[in-house]
Amino acid sequence: MRGGTHVRAVTDATFDLAAGECLALVGESGCGKSVLASALLGLLPENAETAGSALIPAADTADTGDTADTADRVDLLTADERTLARTVRGRRVGLVPQSPAAHLTPVRTVRSQLEEVLRELAGVRRPHLRAAAEAAAERAAFPAGHLDRYPHELSGGLAQRAATALALIGDAPLLLADEPTTGLDRDLVDRTVDELRRHVGDDRALLLITHDLSAAERIADRVAVMYAGRIVELTDAAAFFGAPGPRHPYARGLLNALPEREFTPVPGMPPELSALPDGCAFAARCDRADEACRALPALTDGTACHHPHVDVLEAPRA
């Protein structure tokens, strides 16, 4: 709610995420991606309201493979703060935050924060903490020579890597990585997302929230495209980045804006979330829009569009 007005930051965001899978949630800044991540961890402002459900297996049933009984799962949207703090955050769901400086304790060194998390989540005992902290730092490409520095002494890229190292320690079944490559050069982007991908296993999954389509193409199994608070396309990564390509005009525009593609920006600007139209929110920017777009399209066959593309989008030649 903003100034007494309800703002629908995320609406009808429906998807599943299986163990062993990486789902990339992509879209322009302000489309609701980070709000969704905050909702899943109970980190929204006090005046925020949530509806629906977000289910993860409870700790004692995570390895059974039985997801039919909702009694064996935790609903992240309705769980109380005690449950989220003691059994979910860091243990069931790890977070690489979009703003790492706000999540690092300012009066403690990176080393001491890593050691604390190693004690709490990994059960590492004191004689082994120093070596374990250095190993955790190396996993996120954080230089050992900076471990005894405080957060305010770090660059944005180093703070991002410190936050990534902290998030990876617990090997949580679900890892939320919210813009984990901010402030990193291309080599470190590739190294970071590769390490996040290595987190994925038989009992672990990754939700990668990013505007970096190259990073998503590198590690994602599926892609969800968000626009104006709604998921407008959900498809396999191979089909999205290769052939037949995105079906939603906005998703196709995002891909064609890449330098290695057509390098053509999506025209116009997204609508304010406080003033969304009744119909398709992308219609004002879309050259395929007509009267049918006055009605809100449902997500059908992975695409929320009245006039989806059906032709083949050629991938760039090597």
Side-chain angles (χ1 to χ4, degrees):
M1 180 179 292
R2 181 186 299 168
T5 301
H6 283 275
V7 176
R8 293 186 177 182
V10 178
T11 305
D12 297 332
T14 301
F15 60 88
D16 60 353
L17 182 55
E21 182 181 33
C22 171
L23 173 66
L25 182 62
V26 304
E28 291 170 295
S29 296
C31 69
K33 304 187 303 295
S34 294
V35 172
L36 177 59
S38 295
L40 294 177
L41 283 170
L43 299 176
L44 292 173
E46 291 185 0
N47 64 343
E49 299 177 3
T50 60
S53 61
L55 303 175
I56 62 170
D60 57 353
T61 61
D63 299 324
T64 65
D66 182 9
T67 58
D69 188 355
T70 57
D72 291 336
R73 292 183 282 178
V74 176
D75 188 342
L76 299 177
L77 298 187
T78 60
D80 56 46
E81 176 59 26
R82 179 184 178 89
T83 299
L84 291 171
R86 295 197 173 190
T87 66
V88 173
R89 298 187 191 122
R91 292 174 171 82
R92 307 302 301 154
V93 183
L95 173 66
V96 181
Q98 183 180 28
S99 302
H103 287 255
L104 297 172
T105 304
V107 296
R108 298 180 59 190
T109 65
V110 175
R111 183 188 300 277
S112 69
Q113 295 182 61
L114 286 171
E115 289 181 352
E116 178 185 26
V117 176
L118 284 162
R119 284 194 305 268
E120 293 295 321
L121 297 186
V124 178
R125 297 187 179 277
R126 185 171 299 278
H128 308 290
L129 279 174
R130 186 176 184 86
E134 292 176 358
E138 172 62 21
R139 186 177 178 187
F142 186 91
H146 291 67
L147 279 170
D148 294 312
R149 294 189 176 187
Y150 293 89
H152 74 273
E153 298 177 298
L154 305 177
S155 66
L158 283 174
Q160 186 70 61
R161 281 180 271 169
T164 300
L166 288 164
L168 288 171
I169 286 173
D171 283 328
L174 173 60
L175 182 63
L176 300 182
D178 188 4
E179 301 289 2
T181 59
T182 300
L184 305 182
D185 61 35
R186 195 71 242 171
D187 287 343
L188 279 174
V189 167
D190 292 345
R191 177 168 176 174
T192 298
V193 296
D194 286 349
E195 188 58 55
L196 293 174
R197 177 70 211 197
R198 278 191 283 274
H199 168 86
V200 176
D202 292 340
D203 58 352
R204 298 191 300 273
L206 170 64
L207 177 59
L208 174 67
I209 298 173
T210 185
H211 65 271
D212 187 339
L213 289 177
S214 296
E217 182 177 12
R218 188 176 180 90
I219 67 168
D221 298 299
R222 288 189 298 151
V223 176
V225 181
M226 182 170 278
Y227 184 78
R230 300 183 75 229
I231 291 177
V232 296
E233 182 150 0
L234 180 60
T235 188
D236 288 340
F240 184 87
F241 291 107
R247 301 184 69 218
H248 194 282
Y250 171 67
R252 180 165 292 212
L254 279 182
L255 200 56
N256 284 338
L258 294 176
E260 62 270 26
R261 301 271 181 169
E262 296 181 5
F263 205 26
T264 303
V266 181
M269 296 291 291
E272 291 289 336
L273 294 179
S274 58
L276 293 176
D278 292 333
C280 175
F282 186 64
R285 306 172 70 185
C286 183
D287 60 5
R288 302 168 72 89
D290 61 15
E291 288 298 313
C293 303
R294 293 180 178 272
L296 186 67
L299 188 69
T300 304
D301 295 330
T303 309
C305 181
H306 294 295
H307 307 294
H309 287 275
V310 295
D311 55 307
V312 173
L313 175 65
E314 293 186 1
R317 295 192 180 103

